[in-house]
Amino acid sequence: FRGAIQGEAGIIISSALFALFHFGRNSSQFPRVLAIYFLLSLTFGYLVAVTHSLVPAIIAHALYDFVLLTALRHYDGRTSPAR
C-alpha cells in the first residue's frame, strides 16, 4: 500500500488513505481514532522516507499490532484489565 501510493501521492495523502482504510466503520470514536491512525501512518511514512525502505515501517506496524492485540486480549471490556 505505502510503497505504491507514497511515492506518487506523498506522505500526507497516503497517510490519510491508510487511516481511512484501517478505520472501523462502526466506531463511535470516529475523529479520535481516525486521528490516531493518521498520526501513526505519518510515522510509518516518515520511516519509509528516511530509510528508503518499507522494512522499518513493516516492523513498526507489526510491533504496533502486536502491542495493541496483546492489550486487547487482556482487556475484558470493563474499566480494568482482566485478571
Side-chain angles (χ1 to χ4, degrees), residues 48-64:
V48 171
V50 169
T51 64
H52 304 288
S53 172
L54 287 172
V55 175
I58 291 169
I59 292 169
H61 192 299
L63 181 62
Y64 172 80

Side-chain angles (χ1 to χ4, degrees), residues 4 9 20 56 71:
L20 288 171

